[in-house]
């Protein structure tokens, strides 16, 4: 290791590498392998990489004119030939003294720390916050508790997380940090890299070659990076786009002469792609756990490339090899070694599982035990140090595993003569610190000057960012447009949403009459034109919340200011919203037959577009200030409801009863837009009076003796002046139009500024590690008294446990396993698996795989990344749901029974659990439903207690499993995952997918040893995939199935120390293995895809070993198929009856709702807020005509309430969810009904109030299954976004409120109106409210007409009045005052309502409730259970 480092240093004394192997045009440098590889897939070679680097240096030293023309610099705005140039050596190296002699200052700093102590506060555990806590918090309990705690509460104790650390990491050095999870390794890295937010205090000294941490945090944040183990990226961007964006934002101002920004970015991109072997995936999207993209190992490489693109001087990588196979992990660490040596950067790495080849690449190692530094020094001397102290080194153990085992009392092996001699390395560390103090000299000053020179001319010298704010916005805008464009499904869904909703709105108000019968419908169409686009944009608020992790990571990398993202997203909205607004406006405008005037059309389009931009800006501000996605949805829709309801359409401004309501009107952008659109259509227009509006409608009457029943009408006139109507009805004026446009722009700018301020200064969440969450205080107290330090302690967890503490499983003391298998043998032969690829031929993932697992045998399934391990495991366990599987899979020579999956355990890699369940509840649930019904409940629960003891989970049995950060640690969750499968009492097989992923070497060994003991004592057959096995861990397996690129390359025994498998490969031409080689690493290295390696798949297929295995499989099938079936019970797919399933699942769902209060809280919040909005707007409305219509809108608010407050997942829990949501529906009804009903002032008779309460309760019950069947048929949120707007508009627009029954088109009036559940809700509730309500017209609503000379009002209009609604009075002057309605029943006739049919409407609505519930089952089966492709293949006669 030292020789490699010295070679790197000496070969680059005059030329130091600066993060880039630039594209070489020489034939020698062109290839498809990684940088430093002999060929694709070959090992990274440090010396070869340095030689390649020298060739590239010579290539790049040619005159710039031969490589690229002078291009304008987009940052400085000038030709690069006139820019400040730098020497090539400074461009390629971080610390070249010769560069400083030529006037170029290198960047080179190390990190030193003295007596570093990190402190946190807290008790180490939390109590689960339930629905009751959230409900009380809604009414102020949280505020009261905060005040009480602030004044009288006891402050949590301050505890040390790590303490007393000292050391130095010099430029060009790599430090390996070792320690069990919870020891403090992540905390140490965070402290070194200025990630201080999660901790109470950091004491001691940390500086960077003399540069203080305060300055480093503010001005040089991008030079000191902490890279977590999570791979966080925008999933729809390609690898090229992801890395290119990072490079653009970190391109230095001083570059090689003649190299433009574009050249620099492309050259660096070529380096990273070649170095990490990503050329074949450069145009593949990155993806994530929900979006298919590059593989997990390749995604890890993208994270590394992004971190390296930051050009940071100090890099800290936290457990960055998690999920990589051992050969890929070695390549990665060797690549870091190359970069560190050549660039003189400073690298700190934590690894949980480090092989010997990895360990040798490090200069220094720091070993941590329970927050204490127990060794710091040269990596080559660490083993000898602990051996000198008296600890035994076990042959075959890697050095890293040996060092980690020292911290575990169950793994370390001390000698009897252990004397605790004082470490000589402590004195050496102190000496090195003093020497480094003298060495650094002016490193800090040189570093600060170099950073300034790299910054854009438009960037402040104190800014941590490299490029200017304007260029940050430009690069973010480019990326945002790429994200939008590449999400074609999402983009199409936007336009489908818009088109469908526009067509529905246009058909609802089709061909609006030009008479006085039209303005009311016109107002609704214009209102929808504004609100629907805004409603669709609520997803922007959700995206802001969900995108925080990516933003936080890249801001920490100093790629851009977070406020630049707000501006970029806003600009990126313009083309999308312009198209959406144009589609919607064009369709609605012409279908509704609005004014055929180009100026009016474009003015309407302008206001619709501007309002959409304003609404989107509002949602972004909501997303920035919301703590989580649930708060985002609640506050987003609450804001939409308030601004839309108080826009003046549902209730005009001059009718609002108090200034309190009117200021809300002034704060609604929709109010200003609605006024502009209404004025745009009707100002200056003479509106002909509709025949039905001429009062009185006496046949043959003269217009002189009639008046139009319409606000603003004048006696004797056959039309109404639109300007007068707008002014008297709404207070709208033409002079307000452009004022309103300016106000909307001001709102937009205001929202953008608010969002920019919030995103700059607000930080949500924390990242310090796990915190235990308990249900009962007694359980918490009991557990924490003797808890194991199994997790990194966040601010507050105790790290001062005694020496007997450890995170690993203790030696299992049982002499007989509680699990007993049935001695069955599972075989598979000629197994092939093919999946369909849209637009391409099907792809075969598995090719002729064969093998078996026997009782009591532990079989390893291994292979490089992408070999098909998980695919094979899913196929064998019958979990593959897509594609075609062929071949034979037999248990004891017989076809798989229906209960195969229930009787086999499958431990998934992802550790997926219900986070609201405790450990005991999760295991009991598995045992209760998966063990046979013949086993009593008491026996099942007793068995669960045995499993809990077996897995050493007693102290955590009543802790919630939780989520990462608040719940169990990685290792504890893995044990629970195994426990859940063991609780099912598998009788045949146990499959495990990466059970050691994310664990340290000791934890991984403990898990595998447990599996070994389980196989020996239970007689179970176990098949387990594994990535990075150490030699000791590898010895625990009996057989191995090895894959490469979906092909089988070996199946058979491993042999003593891997002798059998190694002998096979050596006999077939593989290089000879060394005595100290890890057998697992040897076989992975041998079989990795490479042009130099043999085709091991073909070799195996033709080998006698393969033929022997196939013959053995046939013999097993023939022999065991003759044996009688030991199982006499019927093979049932489920272990328990449906009723028992419902009971268990209902209990679980109820606890989930109670402990995860978002569902219930959102329901209460939605109901209460909507009730208050309705009650405030229509408070005690009175009995005028306009207020009668207001009552209708008050009912409409019940209907239009946000229903999908939570996305329903896990359709298998349908019945339980139906039952569990009923209590919340009742509670929600109570919170809605009383504020709404009595504030609005509806009839107080008990029969009427009871009916209203019952109907609203039924509506609350109807809402949940309505959302569930939508979720059941939609595979993802994108498809839901297509379906939701259609159903929203249909159910809310075609119920007779927004458009009266008579105004609907015949197509809608004949069946959609009646088939709409909300129609019956509206009919029942409105008729119940309006029945027998006496109407008294206000003076403004009374219309006055003059009877003919010599006639009284009764003589003139008496006969007409008998056949119409309303009442008439004669004034003293002989004039006739007419009120259009006498009571609510007359009003109901005009909107097709009938009080006598209200119970019929309630009964029909009940039918819709059961229909909803049935649809959930039907659609879940149709879309998620039934295999339609297989069905059609059978129908068409295809195999």
């Amino acid at each position: 290791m030292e020789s490699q480092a010295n070679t790197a240093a000496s070969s680059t004394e005059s030329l130091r590498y600066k993060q880039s192997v630039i594209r070489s045009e020489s034939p020698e440098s062109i290839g498809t392998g990684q940088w430093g590889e002999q060929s694709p897939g070959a090992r990274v070679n440090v010396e070869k990489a340095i030689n390649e680097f020298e060739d590239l240096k010579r290539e790049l030293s040619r005159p710039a004119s031969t490589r690229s023309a002078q291009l304008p610099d987009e940052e400085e705005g000038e030709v690069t030939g006139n820019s400040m140039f730098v020497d090539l050596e400074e461009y390629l190296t971080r610390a070249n003294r010769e560069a400083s002699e030529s006037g170029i200052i290198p960047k080179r700093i190390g990190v030193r720390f003295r007596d570093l102590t990190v402190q946190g506060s807290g008790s180490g555990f939390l109590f689960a916050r339930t629905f009751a806590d959230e409900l009380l918090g809604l009414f102020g309990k949280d505020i009261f508790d905060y005040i009480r705690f602030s004044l009288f509460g006891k402050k949590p104790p301050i505890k040390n997380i790590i303490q007393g650390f000292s050391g130095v990491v010099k430029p060009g050095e790599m430090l390996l940090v070792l320690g069990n999870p919870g020891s403090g390794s992540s905390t140490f890295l965070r402290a070194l890299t200025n990630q201080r937010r999660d901790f109470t205090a950091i004491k001691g000294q940390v500086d960077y070659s003399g540069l203080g941490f305060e300055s480093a945090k503010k001005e040089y944040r991008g030079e000191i990076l902490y890279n977590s183990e999570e791979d966080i990226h925008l999933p729809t961007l390609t690898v090229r786009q992801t890395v290119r964006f990072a490079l653009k934002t970190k391109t230095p101002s001083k570059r090689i002469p003649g190299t433009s920004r574009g050249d620099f970015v492309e050259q660096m991109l070529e380096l990273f792609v070649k170095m990490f072997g990503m050329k074949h995936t450069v145009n593949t999207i990155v993806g994530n756990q929900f979006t298919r993209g590059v593989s997990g190992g390749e995604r890890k490489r993208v994270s590394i490339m992004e971190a390296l693109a930051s050009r940071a001087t100090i890099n800290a990588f936290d457990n960055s090899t998690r999920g990589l196979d051992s050969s890929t992990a070695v390549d990665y660490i060797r690549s870091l070694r190359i970069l560190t040596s050549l660039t003189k950067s400073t690298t700190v790495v934590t690894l949980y599982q480090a092989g010997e080849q990895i360990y040798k690449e490090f200069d220094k190692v720091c070993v941590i035990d329970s927050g204490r530094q127990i060794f710091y020094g040269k990596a080559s001397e660490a083993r000898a140090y602990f051996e000198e102290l008296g600890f035994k080194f076990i042959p075959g153990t890697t050095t890293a595993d040996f060092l980690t085992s020292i911290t575990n009392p169950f793994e370390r092996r001390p000698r009897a003569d252990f004397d605790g001699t004082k470490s000589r390395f402590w004195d050496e560390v102190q000496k090195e610190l003093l020497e480094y103090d003298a060495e650094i000299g002016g490193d800090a000053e040189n570093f600060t000057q170099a950073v300034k020179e790299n910054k854009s001319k438009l960037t402040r010298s104190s800014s941590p960012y490299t490029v200017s704010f304007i260029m940050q916005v430009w690069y973010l805008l480019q990326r945002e447009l790429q994200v939008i464009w590449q999400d074609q499904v999402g983009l199409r869904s936007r336009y489908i949403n818009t088109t469908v909703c526009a067509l529905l709105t246009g058909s609802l108000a089709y061909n609006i009459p030009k008479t006085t019968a039209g303005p009311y419908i016109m107002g609704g169409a214009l209102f929808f034109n504004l609100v629907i686009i805004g409603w669709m944009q609520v997803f922007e608020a959700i995206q802001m919340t969900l995108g925080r992790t990516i933003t936080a990571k890249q801001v920490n990398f100093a790629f851009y200011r977070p406020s630049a993202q707000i501006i970029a997203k806003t600009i990126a909205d313009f083309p999308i919203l312009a198209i959406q607004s144009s589609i919607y406006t064009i369709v609605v405008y012409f279908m509704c037959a609005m004014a055929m005037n180009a100026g009016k059309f474009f003015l309407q389009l302008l206001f619709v577009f501007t309002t959409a931009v304003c609404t989107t800006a509002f949602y972004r501000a909501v997303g920035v200030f919301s703590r989580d996605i649930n708060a985002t949805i609640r506050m987003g829709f609450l804001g939409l409801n308030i601004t839309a309801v108080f826009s003046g359409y549902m209730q005009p401004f001059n009718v609002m009863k108090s200034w309190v309501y009117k200021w809300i009107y002034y704060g609604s952008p929709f109010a200003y837009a609605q006024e502009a659109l209404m004025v745009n259509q009707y100002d200056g227009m003479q509106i002909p009076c509709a025949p039905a509006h001429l009062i009185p409608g006496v046949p043959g009457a003269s217009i002189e003796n009639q008046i139009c029943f319409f606000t603003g009408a004048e006696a004797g006139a056959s039309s109404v002046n639109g300007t007068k109507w707008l002014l008297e009805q709404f207070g709208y004026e033409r002079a307000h139009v452009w004022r309103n446009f300016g106000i909307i722009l001001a709102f937009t700018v205001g929202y953008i500024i608010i969002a920019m301020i919030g995103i700059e200064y607000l930080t949500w969440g924390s990242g310090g590690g796990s915190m235990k969450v308990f249900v009962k205080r007694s359980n918490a107290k009991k557990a924490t008294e003797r808890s194991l330090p199994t997790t990194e302690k966040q601010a507050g967890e105790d790290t001062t446990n005694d020496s007997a503490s450890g995170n690993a499983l203790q030696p299992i003391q049982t002499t007989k396993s509680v699990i007993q298998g049935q001695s069955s043998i599972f075989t598979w032969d000629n197994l092939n698996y093919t999946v369909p690829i849209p637009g391409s031929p099907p792809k075969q993932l598995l090719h002729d795989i064969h093998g078996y697992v026997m009782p009591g045998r532990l079989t390893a399934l291994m292979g490089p990344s992408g070999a098909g391990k998980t695919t094979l495991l899913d196929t064998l366990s019958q979990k593959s749901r897509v594609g075609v599987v062929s071949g034979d899979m037999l248990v004891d020579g017989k076809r798989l029974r229906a209960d195969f999956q229930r009787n086999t355990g499958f431990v998934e890699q992802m550790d997926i659990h219900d986070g609201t369940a405790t450990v005991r509840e999760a295991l009991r649930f598995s045992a209760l439903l998966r063990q046979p019904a013949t086993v009593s409940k008491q026996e099942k629960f007793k068995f669960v207690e045995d499993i809990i003891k077996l897995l050493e989970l007693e102290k955590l049995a009543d802790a919630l499993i939780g989520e990462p950060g608040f719940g169990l640690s990685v290792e504890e969750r893995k044990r629970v995952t195994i426990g859940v499968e063991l609780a099912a009492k598998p009788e045949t097989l146990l499959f495990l997918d990466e059970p050691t992923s994310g664990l340290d070497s000791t934890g991984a060994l403990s898990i595998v040893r447990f599996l070994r003991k389980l196989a020996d004592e239970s007689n179970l057959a176990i098949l387990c995939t594994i990535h990075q096995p150490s030699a000791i861990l590898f010895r625990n397996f009996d057989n191995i199935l090895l894959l490469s690129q979906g092909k089988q390359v070996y199946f058979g025994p491993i042999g003593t120390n891997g002798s059998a498998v190694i002998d096979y490969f050596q006999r077939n031409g593989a290089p000879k293995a060394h005595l100290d080689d890890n057998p697992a690493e040897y076989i992975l290295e041998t079989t990795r895809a490479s042009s130099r390696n043999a085709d091991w798949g073909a070799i195996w297929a033709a080998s006698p070993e393969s033929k022997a295995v196939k013959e053995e499989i046939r013999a097993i099938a023939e022999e065991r198929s003759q044996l009688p079936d030991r199982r006499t019970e019927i093979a049932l797919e489920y272990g328990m009856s449906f009723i028992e399933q419902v009971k268990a699942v209902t209990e679980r769902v109820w606890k989930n709702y109670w402990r995860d209060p978002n569902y219930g809280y959102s329901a209460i919040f939605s109901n209460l807020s909507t009730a208050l909005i309705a009650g405030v707007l229509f408070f005690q409305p009175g009995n005028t005509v306009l207020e009668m219509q207001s009552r209708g809108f008050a009912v409409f608010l019940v209907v239009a309430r946000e229903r999908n407050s939570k996305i329903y997942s896990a359709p298998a829990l349908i019945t339980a969810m139906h039952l569990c949501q009923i209590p919340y529906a009742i509670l929600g009804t109570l919170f809605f009904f009383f504020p709404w009903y009595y504030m609005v002032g509806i009839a107080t008779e008990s029969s009427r109030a009871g009916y209203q309460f019952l109907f609203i309760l039924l509506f609350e019950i109807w809402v949940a299954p309505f959302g569930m069947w939508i979720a059941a048929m939609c595979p993802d949120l994108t498809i839901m976004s297509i379906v939701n707007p259609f159903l929203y508009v249909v159910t809310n627009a075609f119920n007779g409120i927004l458009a009266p029954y008579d105004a609907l088109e015949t197509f809608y009036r004949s069946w959609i109106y009646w088939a709409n559940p909300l129609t019956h809700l509206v009919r029942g509730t409105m008729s119940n409210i309006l029945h027998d309500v006496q109407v008294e017209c206000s003076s403004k609503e009374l219309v006055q007409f003059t009877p003919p000379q010599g006639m009284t009002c009764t003589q003139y209009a008496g006969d007409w009045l008998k056949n119409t609604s309303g009442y008439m009075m004669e004034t003293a002057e002989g004039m006739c005052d007419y009120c259009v309605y006498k009571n609510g029943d007359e009003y109901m006739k005009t909107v097709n309502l009938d009080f006598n049919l209200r119970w019929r409407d309630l009964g029909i609505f009940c039918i819709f409730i059961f229909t909803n519930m049935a649809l959930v089952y039907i659609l879940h089966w149709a879309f998620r259970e039934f295999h339609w492709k297989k069905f059609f293949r059978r129908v068409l006669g295809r195999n």
Side-chain angles (χ1 to χ4, degrees), residues 643-662:
T643 54
V645 167
F646 285 88
S647 66
Y649 168 65
M650 292 188 178
Q651 189 177 74
F653 174 79
N654 50 21
V655 179
M656 294 181 183
K657 297 183 179 298
S658 170
W659 66 269
V660 177
Y661 315 149
K662 293 181 178 180

Side-chain angles (χ1 to χ4, degrees), residues 820-848:
Q820 290 298 316
Q822 287 195 340
S823 302
S824 297
I825 300 178
F826 180 42
T827 63
W828 58 93
D829 193 16
N830 298 322
L831 190 63
N832 293 275
Y833 180 47
T834 304
V835 295
I837 305 295
S840 303
K843 182 176 182 179
Q844 187 168 353
L845 301 182
L846 298 176
H847 303 260
D848 296 324

Side-chain angles (χ1 to χ4, degrees), residues 834-970:
T834 304
V835 295
I837 305 295
S840 303
K843 182 176 182 179
Q844 187 168 353
L845 301 182
L846 298 176
H847 303 260
D848 296 324
I849 311 298
H850 52 273
Y852 54 83
V853 285
M854 289 188 170
R857 307 297 293 272
L858 188 57
T859 303
L861 175 56
M862 292 179 59
S865 295
K869 301 183 295 295
T870 300
T871 301
L872 176 59
L873 205 63
D874 288 343
T875 304
L876 294 177
S877 60
Q878 310 298 300
K879 290 186 178 294
S880 298
R881 296 189 56 83
V882 296
V884 178
V885 178
S886 63
D888 297 322
M889 287 180 280
L890 308 174
V891 174
D892 290 338
K894 304 178 183 67
R895 296 291 177 186
L896 305 185
R897 296 172 27 137
D899 60 352
F900 175 78
Q901 285 182 283
R902 179 167 61 84
N903 288 313
T904 58
F906 189 97
V907 178
E908 297 189 14
Q909 180 181 353
M910 299 303 293
D911 297 329
I912 301 172
H913 298 283
D914 175 9
T916 61
T918 66
V919 172
R920 178 176 281 113
E921 289 168 352
L923 269 62
R924 283 185 173 184
F925 184 80
S926 177
L928 193 62
L929 292 186
R930 294 175 64 182
Q931 290 188 28
T934 53
V935 182
S936 69
K937 185 176 180 179
Q938 291 72 22
E939 289 180 286
K940 292 178 180 179
F941 285 1
K942 182 179 182 301
F943 179 77
V944 166
E945 296 305 315
D946 292 337
I947 296 295
I948 290 175
K949 293 177 181 178
L950 188 68
L951 293 172
E952 308 259 337
L953 290 169
E954 303 102 305
K955 287 165 283 190
L956 298 173
D958 293 306
L960 297 186
I961 297 173
E963 303 296 335
F966 289 92
L968 304 185
S969 69
V970 173

Side-chain angles (χ1 to χ4, degrees), residues 363-611:
D363 302 291
K364 295 178 178 177
V365 64
C366 175
V367 184
I368 305 176
D369 180 20
S370 300
R372 294 281 189 170
Q373 184 183 43
I374 62 173
F375 177 83
Y376 187 93
K378 294 180 180 180
S380 58
E381 300 181 1
R383 171 181 163 181
Y385 164 71
F386 283 105
E387 287 181 316
E388 289 174 8
L389 290 181
F391 293 99
K392 297 179 181 178
F393 178 82
I394 302 175
T397 305
T398 66
T399 303
D401 288 352
F402 170 68
L403 298 179
T404 305
S405 70
I406 300 300
T407 68
N408 191 314
F410 303 108
E411 295 293 331
R412 60 189 177 218
R413 297 290 182 269
R415 294 200 314 263
D417 58 346
F418 176 82
D419 59 3
T421 305
K422 182 181 177 182
S423 169
R424 63 183 173 84
F425 285 93
W426 173 255
D427 295 330
E428 291 185 9
V429 167
Q430 302 305 314
K431 179 181 178 182
E432 186 180 26
L433 282 169
L434 294 175
E435 292 175 350
Y436 188 63
D437 290 344
E439 288 178 12
I440 57 176
D443 280 358
E445 292 78 5
N446 293 337
F447 169 77
T448 57
Q449 183 61 33
V451 172
K452 289 179 181 179
E453 291 178 353
N454 278 336
K455 292 179 181 177
S456 163
K457 296 177 181 178
L458 304 178
T459 304
R460 291 182 296 107
S461 60
S462 60
S463 172
Y465 305 101
T466 302
V467 299
S468 67
F469 184 81
I470 295 175
M471 292 311 300
Q472 292 172 28
V473 172
W474 172 240
Y475 296 144
L476 284 164
L477 174 60
Q478 292 175 341
R479 186 182 73 172
E480 191 66 24
L481 292 175
Q482 289 172 342
V483 169
I484 294 171
W485 178 253
Q486 289 173 196
D487 184 12
Q488 283 293 310
V489 176
L491 189 63
R492 287 195 297 268
S493 73
R494 283 176 180 252
Y495 299 136
I496 293 173
N497 289 346
T498 305
T499 305
V500 169
C501 291
L503 290 171
L504 289 172
T505 305
S507 60
L508 176 69
Y510 182 72
N511 198 18
I512 297 174
K514 303 299 183 183
T515 65
T516 54
Y520 179 78
I521 302 174
M522 178 70 76
L526 296 176
F527 180 73
F528 259 59
N529 199 176
L530 293 170
V531 173
I532 289 296
I533 299 292
W535 179 72
M536 293 180 185
Q537 293 301 109
V538 73
F539 197 69
E540 291 298 326
I542 299 174
Q543 285 185 323
M544 286 302 300
T545 305
L546 295 178
R548 279 181 186 153
T549 52
I550 297 175
T551 300
K553 170 188 172 182
Q554 297 188 338
V555 168
N556 185 55
F557 283 11
F559 287 169
Y560 54 82
R561 293 189 72 92
S563 54
Q565 187 181 39
I566 298 294
I567 297 178
K569 282 180 172 289
T570 301
I571 299 173
D573 287 336
F574 289 169
I576 306 301
L577 291 178
I579 296 173
Q580 281 185 273
S581 301
S582 298
I583 292 173
Y584 200 101
T585 303
I586 289 172
V587 173
V588 171
Y589 199 92
F590 292 103
M591 287 188 69
C592 295
M594 297 182 185
M596 294 297 118
N597 180 291
K600 292 187 176 184
F601 168 78
F602 285 110
L603 183 66
Q604 179 163 324
L605 179 58
L606 175 65
F607 270 91
V608 171
F609 169 73
T610 308
T611 306

Side-chain angles (χ1 to χ4, degrees), residues 308-336:
L308 297 178
S310 68
R311 302 173 55 252
T313 311
I314 297 175
N315 290 285
F317 296 93
D318 192 358
N319 195 22
S320 53
T321 60
R322 188 185 73 170
L324 301 180
D325 64 81
S326 55
S327 60
T328 304
V330 170
D331 284 347
Y332 159 56
I333 296 300
R334 284 181 172 172
S335 297
L336 282 185

Side-chain angles (χ1 to χ4, degrees), residues 870-1114:
T870 300
T871 301
L872 176 59
L873 205 63
D874 288 343
T875 304
L876 294 177
S877 60
Q878 310 298 300
K879 290 186 178 294
S880 298
R881 296 189 56 83
V882 296
V884 178
V885 178
S886 63
D888 297 322
M889 287 180 280
L890 308 174
V891 174
D892 290 338
K894 304 178 183 67
R895 296 291 177 186
L896 305 185
R897 296 172 27 137
D899 60 352
F900 175 78
Q901 285 182 283
R902 179 167 61 84
N903 288 313
T904 58
F906 189 97
V907 178
E908 297 189 14
Q909 180 181 353
M910 299 303 293
D911 297 329
I912 301 172
H913 298 283
D914 175 9
T916 61
T918 66
V919 172
R920 178 176 281 113
E921 289 168 352
L923 269 62
R924 283 185 173 184
F925 184 80
S926 177
L928 193 62
L929 292 186
R930 294 175 64 182
Q931 290 188 28
T934 53
V935 182
S936 69
K937 185 176 180 179
Q938 291 72 22
E939 289 180 286
K940 292 178 180 179
F941 285 1
K942 182 179 182 301
F943 179 77
V944 166
E945 296 305 315
D946 292 337
I947 296 295
I948 290 175
K949 293 177 181 178
L950 188 68
L951 293 172
E952 308 259 337
L953 290 169
E954 303 102 305
K955 287 165 283 190
L956 298 173
D958 293 306
L960 297 186
I961 297 173
E963 303 296 335
F966 289 92
L968 304 185
S969 69
V970 173
E971 191 263 349
E972 290 163 346
R973 291 169 68 88
K974 182 62 65 179
R975 279 194 268 164
V976 173
T977 304
I978 296 174
V980 167
E981 296 304 317
L982 294 182
K985 208 170 187 179
E987 300 176 351
T988 308
L989 286 164
L990 180 62
F991 297 101
L992 300 100
D993 190 9
E994 293 298 333
T996 63
S997 180
L999 304 181
D1000 69 318
S1001 56
T1002 305
L1005 183 58
S1006 297
I1007 291 293
V1008 172
R1009 282 179 172 173
F1010 169 73
L1011 295 177
R1012 174 74 273 167
K1013 190 173 184 66
L1014 188 64
D1016 293 338
E1017 297 181 355
S1018 68
N1019 210 31
L1020 267 181
I1022 300 177
L1023 179 61
C1024 170
T1025 64
I1026 196 159
H1027 262 155
Q1028 300 178 36
S1030 64
I1032 292 180
L1033 186 149
F1034 193 60
R1035 293 172 190 165
N1036 287 275
F1037 291 90
D1038 301 298
N1039 295 335
I1040 180 173
L1041 173 57
L1042 197 59
L1043 299 180
S1044 178
Q1045 297 182 326
K1047 298 179 180 179
Q1048 186 166 332
V1049 298
Y1050 180 79
F1051 176 81
I1054 292 176
T1056 305
N1057 294 326
S1059 58
V1061 65
I1062 291 175
D1063 177 65
Y1064 167 80
F1065 284 106
Q1066 289 182 159
R1067 282 190 287 107
N1068 286 279
K1072 184 176 178 61
H1074 299 290
L1075 291 177
D1076 59 347
D1077 277 350
N1078 179 349
E1081 292 181 357
Y1082 168 79
I1083 59 177
L1084 287 175
E1085 171 66 19
T1086 300
T1087 59
R1088 63 185 290 168
S1090 171
S1091 60
R1092 295 184 61 197
N1093 289 350
D1095 185 351
W1096 291 104
I1099 293 174
W1100 168 256
S1103 68
E1105 288 85 354
S1106 174
K1107 294 180 175 60
V1109 171
K1110 283 181 169 289
E1111 184 60 34
E1112 188 175 3
I1113 291 172
R1114 282 192 290 271

Side-chain angles (χ1 to χ4, degrees), residues 1348-1367:
Q1349 188 70 26
M1351 296 182 70
T1352 65
C1353 294
T1354 303
Q1355 291 171 338
Y1356 174 55
D1359 292 339
W1360 167 79
L1361 187 62
K1362 293 178 183 178
N1363 299 313
T1364 190
S1365 62
Y1367 61 89

Side-chain angles (χ1 to χ4, degrees), residues 695-696 702-707 715-716 1344-1349 1351 1353 1356 1373-1376:
I695 303 297
S702 171
I703 191 64
E704 299 295 331
N705 303 114
Q706 291 181 310
I707 188 171
Q1344 194 172 73
F1345 58 90
T1346 305
Q1349 188 70 26
M1351 296 182 70
C1353 294
Y1356 174 55
E1373 294 79 14
M1375 303 295 288
C1376 305

